[in-house]
Amino acid sequence: LVSAIAIAALIGLNVWMGGWAPSRVESLEEAAARLKQDLLAFDPADGIIAKDHRAAIILEKNTDRIGLVVAQGDILVTRLIAPADIARARVDENVLTLRFNDFTFPDTRFAFDNEDTAAEWQSRLTGDR
């Protein structure tokens, strides 16, 4: 019990001192640069950032591949996916929720300004467009 309290106190002190801040996708340019760094041959085209800046979707030029940048904790995680990798894409109001066939990657939620934008990106990601 004492060890758990001590660890919680250290974590709290670290957060209070500003030692941990959740990561954010600040711009499409940053997301594209991260994808190009991690996936070398990725050639970014159109993309969008979630309203909360916790994720970005960037399509690749002349392919059906999709670059995904997601904030997880204090890092940005990248994935290269295709429409076949998406098990489910659901829109509820202005939120697009993606579930992937890769069970190691958690569901990803994208909040947009309106439902039309969410529905448009759902179609683009699932290849229905």
Side-chain angles (χ1 to χ4, degrees):
L1 181 64
V2 174
S3 294
I5 292 171
I7 291 170
L10 286 173
I11 292 170
L13 179 64
N14 191 27
V15 170
W16 179 72
M17 293 178 62
W20 183 82
S23 59
R24 291 173 46 95
V25 180
E26 296 298 335
S27 68
L28 279 178
E29 292 76 20
E30 175 191 12
R34 176 61 74 119
L35 286 165
K36 288 172 79 170
Q37 174 187 339
D38 291 355
L39 306 170
L40 299 182
F42 188 81
D43 191 11
D46 190 23
I48 193 165
I49 295 179
K51 192 174 181 179
D52 62 0
H53 287 263
R54 303 283 298 152
I57 303 166
I58 300 181
L59 305 177
E60 186 175 39
K61 288 181 185 173
N62 304 319
T63 72
D64 68 343
R65 299 187 321 169
I66 303 157
L68 185 64
V69 180
V70 178
Q72 290 185 348
D74 62 346
I75 62 170
L76 294 176
V77 176
T78 58
R79 286 282 193 274
L80 184 61
I81 60 174
D85 297 323
I86 299 172
R88 184 180 74 224
R90 187 180 74 230
V91 173
D92 290 320
E93 295 182 14
N94 66 327
V95 177
L96 170 62
T97 303
L98 299 176
R99 171 163 286 166
F100 302 99
N101 293 324
D102 177 1
F103 69 91
T104 64
F105 200 66
D107 290 1
T108 303
R109 295 171 38 98
F110 296 88
F112 296 107
D113 289 328
N114 58 60
E115 189 171 353
D116 292 339
T117 303
E120 175 191 346
W121 279 93
Q122 176 191 29
S123 296
R124 292 175 88 172
L125 294 175
T126 57
D128 294 339
R129 183 178 158 183

